[in-house]
Amino acid sequence: MLTATRFLTIFAFCASLLGAATASAEHHSDGDMKKSNIVEVAADNEDFSTLVAAIQAAGLVDVLSGEGPFTVFAPTNAAFAKLPAGTVESLLEPANKQQLVDILTYHVVAGKVYAKDVVELTEATTVNGADISIAVTDGGVQINNATVVTTDIKTSNGVIHVIDTVILPAS
């Protein structure tokens, strides 16, 4: 049973994670606040180390550090860990680069799509060219089979929404 104290502890923990993620998106530059780009924000958060390694292996660092804007549905390390054993290692091999690019670009939508906008959509076309389904349920927002667990992490070139499952394009 979830007691009020336990709920507040969990809520405070989640709020601190969101605050840390948001704070990591801003760096001082010549006295002004400057938001970091999508790749920098992800690299500053240890929960995205697998995603960052995949972005690097796919050769997408320059693209996702570029002007954008992009909306990224970013799977955490735990999301990648849900894939069958050996899948991540296989995808990171140079011979599977195109498959990795296809999967990663399936997590990216052109433009900035904030949470308030996502809930109005039923689908979106990804940079991969394939559509993802979007459903608002009592449990939150679903992107295909993934649940959005954190929304609206603002970056200099877009926005990140954290998801709990890697979404895969149809073969």
Side-chain angles (χ1 to χ4, degrees):
M1 177 169 209
L2 186 63
T3 65
T5 303
R6 178 114 171 101
F7 172 79
L8 289 175
T9 302
I10 293 169
F11 179 78
F13 175 72
C14 291
S16 70
L17 286 178
L18 179 57
T22 303
S24 73
E26 298 184 358
H27 292 285
H28 292 282
S29 174
D30 300 325
D32 294 331
M33 293 296 282
K34 181 179 183 241
K35 293 180 185 166
S36 299
N37 65 51
I38 289 167
V39 175
E40 292 168 335
V41 170
D44 284 347
N45 186 326
E46 64 186 36
D47 287 334
F48 295 124
S49 61
T50 305
L51 176 62
V52 171
I55 290 169
Q56 292 168 337
L60 294 174
V61 171
D62 289 342
V63 173
L64 291 175
S65 297
E67 188 174 323
F70 303 106
T71 297
V72 176
F73 295 98
T76 61
N77 294 344
F80 280 100
K82 290 180 181 180
L83 292 171
T87 301
V88 173
E89 295 78 10
S90 175
L91 287 170
L92 294 177
E93 292 177 9
N96 298 322
K97 182 178 178 180
Q98 187 57 53
Q99 184 181 9
L100 182 60
V101 168
D102 292 345
I103 291 169
L104 292 175
T105 57
Y106 190 61
H107 289 78
V108 181
V109 174
K112 289 183 184 178
V113 185
Y114 292 103
K116 66 180 178 57
D117 304 316
V118 169
V119 299
E120 301 293 324
L121 302 173
T122 58
E123 66 180 25
T125 302
T126 66
V127 173
N128 165 305
D131 290 340
I132 52 173
S133 65
I134 301 169
V136 179
T137 65
D138 290 339
V141 175
Q142 296 291 126
I143 305 297
N144 288 0
N145 60 329
T147 300
V148 177
V149 295
T150 304
T151 61
D152 294 345
I153 300 172
K154 296 175 183 173
T155 71
S156 64
N157 63 340
V159 62
I160 298 171
H161 302 294
V162 182
I163 56 176
D164 68 351
T165 303
V166 175
I167 56 176
L168 301 172
S171 309

